[in-house]
Amino acid sequence: MASADQLKALVRSHIERDDGKFFSVAMQVAAHEAKVGHGKLAVELREIIDAAKIRTLSVVSTPAVTLARPRGEVAALLQVSHPEHRLADMVLAQGIHEQLRRILKEQAMFARIREHGLSPRRKLLLVGPPGTGKTMTASVLAGELGLPLFLVRLDALITKFMGETAAKLRQVFDAITEVRGVYFFDEFDAIGSQRGLGNDVGEIRRVLNSFLQMIEQDHSNSLIVAATNHPEILDYALFRRFDDVIEYHLPTADQAVDLIRSRMGHFLPKPFPLKSVMSKVEGLSYAEIRRAVDEAIKEALMHDESRVKSEALGNALLERSQLNKRITNRELSKNAGATSQ
């Protein structure tokens, strides 16, 4: 148990409302319990401390949700939200659902796993095309676990000054240790690209090396989620730093139909134009399908209709498909031009 000096320090810091000192002493008590073999108690103390830290962060209230917000210099590096999404909200391949369920189950049994000297999965790399559910996954993990979601702002993290980006990255990992949450590195290839690439610059190499060291040394209770559309350019050393690599793909026709039915709700056309829909969803991402469905619903609302017309749904999907093809052709032309140079 806590020593006499620690008990006095806890009482004194509470009376003086010195949260920093209180948390510091409380963590010392947790560390002592871990050393003497009280692993379960140590984990429970750390979880209580983490929850208290979140509550004592400055708070901004909105009509729907109360959000924890980091303070000081790290506030410019992290954008915080408190999602309410659930795994049931997502339409994904069965294999991905099973991987996410396992991660959530291990997090739910966090203390029991740690008691045996093991670590639950909490460092995740999500790879796949845009709009396939990577960002939504980070929100779902936070929503299911009741944790804040911290989006790491790469625009504020990466600078042109030598050493500054690595120093800012250190602040992010300090926050990961101090406040339990889901920390999301989107477009991760911006800092994780291979060190041998021809267009690589020294500063990015240093940042990648720093990230590799920090994620290797991280033993916090937070989840670290990185996402990229370009896994082929990631440095090979990164992959073994993550507990799980989850690969996302464009939806099959059946998955697309499931998403449309779920998204439409009571606006679903009757009869449902199954063949017509399946012929138009090929190549579309989950995000593009959701946008098409939303457009069709808005069209129904503007015409004071209780259901979406089959023709309106088909047109919305066709517009998205045509837009997707134009964007793809531009990208191919751009890449072909770059290769020829």
Side-chain angles (χ1 to χ4, degrees), residues 149-166:
L149 174 63
F150 295 98
L151 172 65
V152 181
R153 295 185 51 201
L154 295 184
D155 59 331
L157 179 68
I158 299 175
T159 74
K160 63 182 179 180
F161 300 107
M162 185 177 296
E164 186 174 348
T165 301

Side-chain angles (χ1 to χ4, degrees), residues 269-288:
K270 281 193 176 181
F272 184 73
L274 181 60
K275 289 185 178 179
S276 174
V277 165
M278 294 185 80
S279 68
K280 295 181 176 67
V281 295
E282 183 179 357
L284 293 181
S285 68
Y286 291 99
E288 289 168 325

Side-chain angles (χ1 to χ4, degrees), residues 1-11 22 24-34 36 38 41 45:
M1 295 297 292
S3 68
D5 288 339
Q6 287 173 332
L7 285 172
K8 287 188 287 186
L10 284 171
V11 173
F22 183 88
S24 176
V25 177
M27 286 300 291
Q28 291 173 22
V29 174
H32 172 73
E33 295 303 317
V36 298
H38 300 157
L41 175 59
L45 285 172

Side-chain angles (χ1 to χ4, degrees), residues 50-51 53-55 57 65-70 79-84 138-139 141-151 175 179-184 222-223:
D50 287 340
K53 283 181 178 179
I54 293 173
R55 288 196 300 271
L57 292 169
V65 68
T66 300
L67 304 178
R69 176 171 293 174
Q79 179 180 320
V80 64
S81 62
H82 201 105
E84 297 182 357
S139 294
L141 290 172
E144 289 279 4
L145 297 170
L147 296 174
L149 174 63
F150 295 98
L151 172 65
V179 180
R180 188 175 183 226
V182 177
Y183 290 79
F184 184 44
S222 294
L223 280 79

Side-chain angles (χ1 to χ4, degrees), residues 39-338:
K40 182 177 181 180
L41 175 59
V43 170
E44 289 175 347
L45 285 172
R46 290 193 187 104
E47 290 177 347
I48 292 170
I49 294 166
D50 287 340
K53 283 181 178 179
I54 293 173
R55 288 196 300 271
T56 56
L57 292 169
S58 58
V59 171
V60 57
S61 295
T62 68
V65 68
T66 300
L67 304 178
R69 176 171 293 174
R71 294 179 291 187
E73 293 182 13
V74 76
L77 304 175
L78 299 172
Q79 179 180 320
V80 64
S81 62
H82 201 105
E84 297 182 357
H85 296 116
R86 295 293 183 267
L87 188 56
D89 298 333
M90 300 186 74
V91 176
L92 291 170
Q94 185 62 28
I96 297 177
H97 263 293
E98 291 301 326
Q99 283 180 282
L100 296 180
R101 286 194 193 101
R102 173 158 186 155
I103 291 164
L104 291 170
K105 186 173 182 179
E106 289 191 11
Q107 287 294 317
M109 303 184 71
F110 191 96
R112 186 172 183 180
I113 291 172
R114 281 285 176 90
E115 273 182 39
H116 291 78
L118 302 172
S119 178
R121 285 173 169 84
R122 59 178 197 83
K123 299 175 184 178
L124 313 174
L125 177 60
L126 316 181
V127 302
T132 49
K134 300 186 296 297
T135 300
M136 183 71 165
T137 294
S139 294
V140 163
L141 290 172
E144 289 279 4
L145 297 170
L147 296 174
L149 174 63
F150 295 98
L151 172 65
V152 181
R153 295 185 51 201
L154 295 184
D155 59 331
L157 179 68
I158 299 175
T159 74
K160 63 182 179 180
F161 300 107
M162 185 177 296
E164 186 174 348
T165 301
K168 290 184 174 183
L169 189 61
R170 177 74 271 168
Q171 291 180 326
V172 171
F173 272 88
D174 286 344
I176 289 172
T177 299
E178 292 169 4
V179 180
R180 188 175 183 226
V182 177
Y183 290 79
F184 184 44
F185 292 79
D186 199 7
E187 298 182 359
F188 182 61
D189 42 280
I191 61 175
S193 57
Q194 296 175 32
R195 285 166 285 189
L197 289 179
N199 62 350
D200 188 18
V201 294
E203 179 66 358
I204 292 299
R205 276 201 303 273
R206 284 186 286 273
V207 172
L208 175 56
N209 288 334
S210 296
F211 183 89
L212 289 169
Q213 292 172 3
M214 291 176 195
I215 195 171
E216 182 80 22
Q217 295 166 2
D218 172 66
H219 300 291
S220 69
N221 295 337
S222 294
L223 280 79
I224 299 173
V225 182
T228 179
N229 303 334
H230 304 287
E232 70 280 357
I233 67 172
L234 290 185
D235 193 273
Y236 304 121
L238 277 168
F239 288 91
R240 64 184 179 86
R241 267 34 177 227
F242 289 93
D243 301 321
D244 253 346
V245 178
I246 304 178
E247 190 172 353
Y248 291 72
H249 301 280
L250 294 175
T252 64
D254 287 338
Q255 290 166 350
V257 169
D258 287 344
L259 175 59
I260 291 170
R261 290 182 185 276
S262 173
R263 188 83 173 178
M264 280 277 181
H266 65 272
F267 285 100
L268 192 71
K270 281 193 176 181
F272 184 73
L274 181 60
K275 289 185 178 179
S276 174
V277 165
M278 294 185 80
S279 68
K280 295 181 176 67
V281 295
E282 183 179 357
L284 293 181
S285 68
Y286 291 99
E288 289 168 325
I289 293 169
R290 283 194 296 268
R291 292 190 188 102
V293 169
D294 290 351
E295 290 301 318
I297 292 174
K298 286 190 287 184
E299 185 74 16
L301 289 172
M302 288 188 293
H303 288 84
D304 199 25
E305 295 167 345
S306 60
R307 292 185 180 275
V308 168
K309 291 183 177 179
S310 297
E311 183 182 358
L313 174 59
N315 288 339
L317 290 169
L318 185 60
E319 286 177 9
R320 283 288 159 187
S321 181
Q322 292 172 341
L323 177 60
N324 182 52
K325 288 177 182 176
R326 288 199 296 271
I327 293 173
T328 301
N329 290 336
R330 281 201 202 103
E331 287 296 321
L332 291 174
S333 300
K334 182 180 176 181
N335 292 336

